[in-house]
Amino acid sequence: MKIIYSHFTFTGILVLTMFGCSQNGDVQSNQLPNILMVVADDLGKELGCYGDPNAVTPSLDDFAYRYTKFNNAYVTTASCSPSRSSILTGLYPHQNGQIGLSHRGFSMFEEFLSIPTALKNQGYMTGVIGKIHVKPLEAFRFDYMYGGFDYPYNGGMNPFHSEVVEKITEDWQLINEKPKFTRMVRLVADSAASFIDRSNGKPFFLMVNFLDPHAPFFQQVAGLPEHPMHGDSINQLAFTGWEEKEHMQTLAAYYNGATRVDRGFELLIEMLKKKNLYENTMIIFLGDHGAPLPRAKLTNFEAGVAIPLMIKYPSQKRPAVYEQFVSTIDFLPTILELTGNPVPDYLPGLSLLHISDSANTWRDKIFTEFDWHTRDIFFSRRTIRQGHYKLIANPAAKYYAEFTRQENENLRFM
């Protein structure tokens, strides 16, 4: 695999972190890095930094330019709960058992090692804003949980913001209603700041889960984006197969959701800088799978499983772009190694700290899968991609016609 450009080796980052030297040789405090993981719900590679001409994502584009961008990053599956189970445990869904949505009755087999649990055991303050969407919840040792629908907080399980705000719907109707909390990106940044203040100087792991651009789509929520794009001004996405103009407002609303995420990400960065925590914080930004549009979410096509992934390592000074295949199963071994923890032999992923090692042979193929979403959307698939070739195996293909109607009817609102 070809590396476009790289001036910063990740094994060097590990040494810098563990032994307290900066890129320029300056002595730094020997402290564990903070970790901020930001996940956008149903966001594919429709960002400016990935060449999308419609996207208005200046903060994410700048972040990608300054730090590390992966051009071939993949989730394990294009369904929310199974994908998030891999992000957190470093295992494929068929390994940990989370093969469908957690709020539709699916769960992991047991309490596997997870990022928050491993870091909590090391003395980190751990938090999550928005949905976890993986069961059993006991597998994830979070000290702080806010704004999600799948865990109790302050006596209730209410993901809605308490006040009514103005929202503009997909078809440009102005409505007033309570929004889901993690669409309120200003409040998400405030909640993240509150969590960090509670850490009292301890290293922290915080997972922020924005709901955008998950359907139902909104052109604007609480005034964001300030200048929403209109369907008449954008180009069609080729993978959808759409040609009719009637779909363009849907597409515009998807992009406007991505712009809201961009603003939310910018606010988180500003908050870290104000608290003088930015330099020593590892920041990971990704989508949990592709867009809730045809031939993307719930599929094994590229638009479903290929995601945006950008990482800033502690004290990283120089940008890098990598073409190698990377997977969300790589997060757990990477974080374990970065923080000086042993990496279990059973994990199938690779530590991203070694992606640029000259003597290293990185993976030359990537695997993805799909089983269930809801209990009425089952379509088992196994996929391998190597180079420019991709094979999708469909062991349940002969039954596909029975599921086509349900999948088409339910796709956009899952």
Side-chain angles (χ1 to χ4, degrees):
M1 285 297 186
K2 179 183 178 183
I3 299 176
I4 293 181
Y5 63 88
S6 174
H7 304 289
F8 197 72
T9 60
F10 292 168
T11 47
I13 296 169
L14 177 62
V15 173
L16 299 179
T17 303
M18 300 303 294
F19 296 99
C21 295
S22 73
Q23 185 73 12
N24 298 319
D26 298 327
V27 177
Q28 296 178 324
S29 60
N30 185 12
Q31 63 186 50
L32 290 167
N34 306 306
I35 301 170
L36 172 65
M37 176 179 284
V38 182
V39 183
D41 210 330
D42 291 18
L43 178 66
K45 296 175 74 172
E46 290 74 49
L47 301 175
C49 55
Y50 284 95
D52 191 290
N54 297 323
V56 180
T57 52
S59 297
L60 290 167
D61 299 345
D62 181 70
F63 186 81
Y65 174 77
R66 293 177 181 274
Y67 300 109
T68 304
K69 180 165 77 88
F70 298 88
N71 282 337
N72 286 292
Y74 288 80
V75 292
T76 57
T77 186
S79 175
C80 294
S81 292
S83 175
R84 290 167 183 269
S85 76
S86 297
I87 292 169
L88 290 166
T89 70
L91 298 172
Y92 289 95
H94 76 266
Q95 291 179 303
N96 63 39
Q98 188 73 59
I99 58 175
L101 296 181
S102 64
H103 67 295
R104 297 300 183 95
F106 293 94
S107 177
M108 294 196 302
F109 297 130
E110 58 186 74
E111 297 178 22
F112 291 97
L113 178 69
S114 67
I115 294 172
T117 298
L119 295 179
K120 173 69 175 175
N121 291 340
Q122 195 180 6
Y124 274 71
M125 183 82 166
T126 59
V128 60
I129 298 174
K131 67 185 186 184
I132 300 173
H133 218 188
V134 185
K135 291 184 178 180
L137 291 176
E138 295 74 24
F140 311 106
R141 296 188 61 195
F142 286 110
D143 298 300
Y144 179 93
M145 299 185 291
Y146 193 81
F149 68 85
D150 49 2
Y151 50 79
Y153 187 80
N154 285 345
M157 299 175 72
N158 186 356
F160 288 90
H161 176 48
S162 58
E163 298 179 4
V164 170
V165 302
E166 287 190 348
K167 297 162 71 174
I168 299 177
T169 65
E170 179 181 322
D171 57 356
W172 297 93
Q173 299 299 309
L174 179 64
I175 61 174
N176 291 274
E177 66 178 18
K178 293 181 179 180
K180 294 287 183 70
F181 178 79
T182 50
R183 290 195 200 271
M184 301 288 291
V185 298
R186 298 184 183 96
L187 296 181
V188 168
D190 292 342
S191 184
S194 177
F195 161 75
I196 291 172
D197 290 342
R198 295 185 186 195
S199 67
N200 294 319
K202 294 173 63 176
F204 64 82
F205 168 75
L206 176 62
M207 184 179 190
V208 174
N209 298 290
F210 289 115
L211 182 57
D212 282 310
H214 193 291
F217 299 130
F218 294 96
Q219 306 288 6
Q220 191 180 68
V221 177
L224 292 176
E226 294 179 356
H227 305 287
M229 66 180 69
H230 197 276
D232 295 340
S233 65
I234 61 176
N235 300 317
Q236 188 56 270
L237 277 174
F239 67 76
T240 65
W242 283 342
E243 296 180 356
E244 302 85 354
K245 290 185 177 181
E246 65 188 73
H247 295 301
M248 299 309 292
Q249 301 309 332
T250 297
L251 197 57
Y254 170 71
Y255 279 108
N256 286 325
T259 300
R260 246 185 330 272
V261 170
D262 185 80
R263 178 58 176 150
F265 184 75
E266 180 182 28
L267 291 170
L268 291 170
I269 297 299
E270 291 174 354
M271 179 270 297
L272 288 175
K273 289 181 176 179
K274 287 179 180 178
K275 293 181 178 295
N276 295 317
L277 295 170
Y278 186 71
E279 289 300 318
N280 192 44
T281 299
M282 177 187 192
I283 301 172
I284 304 170
F285 178 87
L286 70 149
D288 69 344
H289 51 67
L293 300 170
R295 299 179 178 87
K297 182 177 180 178
L298 306 189
T299 77
N300 288 62
F301 301 140
E302 289 293 285
V305 293
I307 58 164
L309 174 61
M310 294 91 80
I311 297 178
K312 170 198 167 294
Y313 288 84
S315 300
Q316 181 175 347
K317 304 298 183 185
R318 301 186 179 100
V321 175
Y322 289 98
E323 294 295 317
Q324 288 97 323
F325 288 129
V326 300
S327 172
T328 52
I329 60 172
D330 298 333
F331 293 152
L332 180 55
T334 301
I335 290 172
L336 290 175
E337 185 172 3
L338 183 67
T339 55
N341 285 290
V343 180
D345 292 338
Y346 69 81
L347 291 178
L350 303 172
S351 170
L352 294 171
L353 300 177
H354 300 287
I355 194 170
S356 61
D357 288 359
S358 59
N360 178 61
T361 302
W362 197 257
R363 64 167 69 90
D364 66 348
K365 57 185 70 67
I366 198 78
F367 298 93
T368 60
E369 62 185 64
F370 188 93
D371 284 303
W372 298 85
H373 187 60
T374 60
R375 290 190 176 274
D376 59 349
I377 300 179
F378 169 76
F379 188 22
S380 183
R381 283 156 283 180
R382 296 295 183 267
T383 305
I384 181 172
R385 180 185 166 187
Q386 186 172 29
H388 296 293
Y389 298 94
K390 187 169 190 175
L391 174 65
I392 302 177
N394 297 285
K398 65 180 180 179
Y399 304 108
Y400 177 67
E402 299 176 22
F403 304 113
T404 300
R405 180 178 59 80
Q406 294 98 320
E407 183 169 331
N408 289 338
E409 289 178 356
N410 291 303
L411 173 62
R412 292 178 63 249
F413 296 96
M414 293 298 144

